[in-house]
Amino acid sequence: YELMQAPKNTPTLLFPCGHTFCIECLEAHCQKNHRRTCPYCREKIQSQAPNVLLQQLIDGFAEKKKACAKQISKAPVVPEPEPEENKALAALDNCPAGSRQNVEEYRREWKMLSMRWRIYENETGDCEREIAQLRARKDSSKLVRKHLSSELADAQHRLALVQQEIEL
């Protein structure tokens, strides 16, 4: 995938459906299908305009990506793998001579999988914190509901007493 950056891949907002597509992809879709419909929902395109807000977000992302790439290229030190990774990577060095051609590929895959594992661990922690917050909100809601139920019962009791007084 390419970033939707102007002028070639300007993000284009479709009316009335509101979907956004790269202008080049949209034009290719319309030419291929011989009609001007949204590639996603197939609604007829009445009008289109550049999606300026999305373009600004993409441009900001692209600038940050370039800045990060410059910082990474300047950084001479590659961080050492964690101890458990070192053991696994060292085991790859002991492969038979015929397997040496695959060692670097395995090494890259191991690093990628290790990174994914850390990301999933972080996401798990985030989810667990969110679950704890939701449980606390649920418990709080139960207390409020219980309190409101008791107030409702009290109000109904007082209403019954007032009705009895009126009848007398």
Side-chain angles (χ1 to χ4, degrees):
Y1 298 100
E2 294 180 37
L3 284 178
M4 287 192 271
Q5 287 187 288
K8 180 182 171 189
N9 297 328
T10 302
T12 304
L13 183 62
L14 305 180
F15 298 101
C17 68
H19 293 115
T20 298
F21 293 92
C22 154
I23 187 69
E24 191 174 83
C25 298
L26 179 62
E27 288 173 359
H29 168 78
C30 291
Q31 287 176 357
K32 179 181 175 187
N33 293 305
H34 306 293
R35 59 182 162 211
R36 297 197 50 80
T37 59
C38 173
Y40 185 74
C41 67
R42 305 292 188 246
E43 189 166 341
K44 184 179 179 190
I45 299 171
Q46 294 176 3
S47 180
Q48 65 188 49
N51 190 333
V52 178
L53 181 61
L54 182 58
Q55 185 65 59
Q56 290 172 344
L57 288 171
I58 291 170
D59 290 343
F61 171 77
E63 288 175 20
K64 286 182 181 180
K65 185 178 175 184
K66 284 180 186 176
C68 286
K70 284 181 183 178
Q71 286 179 340
I72 290 171
S73 66
K74 289 178 184 177
V77 179
V78 176
E80 284 294 316
E82 295 185 19
E84 60 193 37
E85 292 176 22
N86 280 333
K87 291 176 189 174
L89 294 174
L92 290 175
D93 290 332
N94 298 326
C95 290
S99 300
R100 295 259 180 220
Q101 59 200 17
N102 296 325
V103 169
E104 282 305 312
E105 182 180 337
Y106 293 137
R107 199 178 295 263
R108 280 191 303 275
E109 287 179 23
W110 173 259
K111 286 181 180 181
M112 187 180 349
L113 289 172
S114 296
M115 180 181 67
R116 284 183 180 171
W117 177 260
R118 284 191 296 272
I119 289 169
Y120 288 137
E121 283 181 327
N122 291 339
E123 287 180 0
T124 299
D126 292 344
C127 289
E128 288 171 349
R129 282 186 289 280
E130 188 175 346
I131 288 169
Q133 290 172 347
L134 290 172
R135 283 188 177 137
R137 284 178 59 193
K138 180 182 129 190
D139 293 341
S140 175
S141 295
K142 280 183 178 180
L143 289 173
V144 169
R145 183 175 168 212
K146 182 179 178 182
H147 177 73
L148 291 174
S149 294
S150 68
E151 283 187 1
L152 177 63
D154 184 46
Q156 287 173 339
H157 175 70
R158 284 186 281 149
L159 179 63
L161 291 175
V162 169
Q163 285 175 341
Q164 285 177 355
E165 279 185 32
I166 291 173
E167 289 175 2
L168 294 178

